[in-house]
Amino acid sequence: MEIRQDDPTAPYVASLLAHHLEELQSVMGEHAQALDASGLSAATVTFWTAWQGQVLLGFGALKQLDDTHGEVKSMRAASAARGTGVGRAILHHIITEARKRGYAHVSLETGTAALHAPAISLYRSAGFVSCEPFADYQASPHNQFMRLDLAN
C-alpha cells in the first residue's frame, strides 16, 4: 500500500468523496461536519490517498488548528477496502505526520450512528479518548469528540 499526499479535487477522488459526504449526510443531516473537496483543499489541510497499484483504497486528512493541535478529517476507506487495514494505515500516517509537526495532540469529531462504530473502534484502538467539543464544534446527539495526546 502506498500513501501519498494528494489533491482532493482530483477526478479519481470525486466518487469516493461524494459517497462519503452523501452517507454522512444521510445519517447526520445538518450535523455532518465532513469537508468537501474545497474544504479539503484549504491551506490548513493536508490530504492523503492510499493506493494499491492503480486502485484507490481510501483517504484521510489532517487540519492544523494551531501550532500544537491538529484535527483528523475525512477518514474514509473504499467499500472494497474495508477490513483490510487501510483505515489503520491512513490513521497511523496522519498521527505520524502530526508528531513530525510537533503537535501536542490531535482531535477528531465523528458521528454516533451505527455506521460510525468501526471508525470509533479504530480510533480507540489507536489511543483516542472521548473529550469535550473543540474548535468551533457544538455538541449534539449526532456527534462525539475524541483526542489523542502525542506527548508520549
Side-chain angles (χ1 to χ4, degrees), residues 49-122:
T49 51
W51 298 84
Q52 187 70 52
Q54 300 299 311
V55 178
L56 175 63
L57 302 176
F59 56 74
L62 177 62
K63 179 178 181 180
Q64 181 173 345
L65 298 176
D66 63 40
D67 290 342
T68 64
H69 192 185
E71 178 184 2
V72 176
K73 293 297 292 182
S74 299
M75 288 276 302
R76 184 64 183 215
S79 296
R82 289 192 176 168
T84 65
V86 66
R88 185 169 305 283
I90 293 170
L91 182 60
H92 176 75
H93 188 86
I94 290 170
I95 293 168
T96 298
E97 179 62 25
R99 287 184 196 280
K100 286 180 189 174
R101 293 180 185 185
Y103 293 166
H105 45 268
V106 289
S107 301
L108 62 86
E109 178 273 343
T110 192
T112 58
L115 161 76
H116 297 97
I120 294 163
S121 178
L122 171 64

Side-chain angles (χ1 to χ4, degrees), residues 21-34 109-113 115-116 140-144:
L21 296 172
E22 289 166 8
E23 189 172 61
L24 292 177
Q25 197 73 15
S26 75
V27 296
M28 297 179 76
E30 75 267 6
H31 300 284
Q33 301 292 326
E109 178 273 343
T110 192
T112 58
L115 161 76
H116 297 97
S140 84
H142 303 282
N143 61 6
Q144 60 185 303

Side-chain angles (χ1 to χ4, degrees), residues 17-47:
L17 181 56
H19 174 71
H20 178 64
L21 296 172
E22 289 166 8
E23 189 172 61
L24 292 177
Q25 197 73 15
S26 75
V27 296
M28 297 179 76
E30 75 267 6
H31 300 284
Q33 301 292 326
L35 298 175
D36 62 10
S38 174
L40 291 168
S41 297
T44 57
V45 178
T46 306
F47 179 81

Side-chain angles (χ1 to χ4, degrees), residues 120-140:
I120 294 163
S121 178
L122 171 64
Y123 299 140
R124 291 207 184 283
S125 74
F128 282 83
V129 295
S130 297
C131 69
E132 295 298 315
F134 60 94
D136 295 330
Y137 289 110
Q138 299 296 317
S140 84

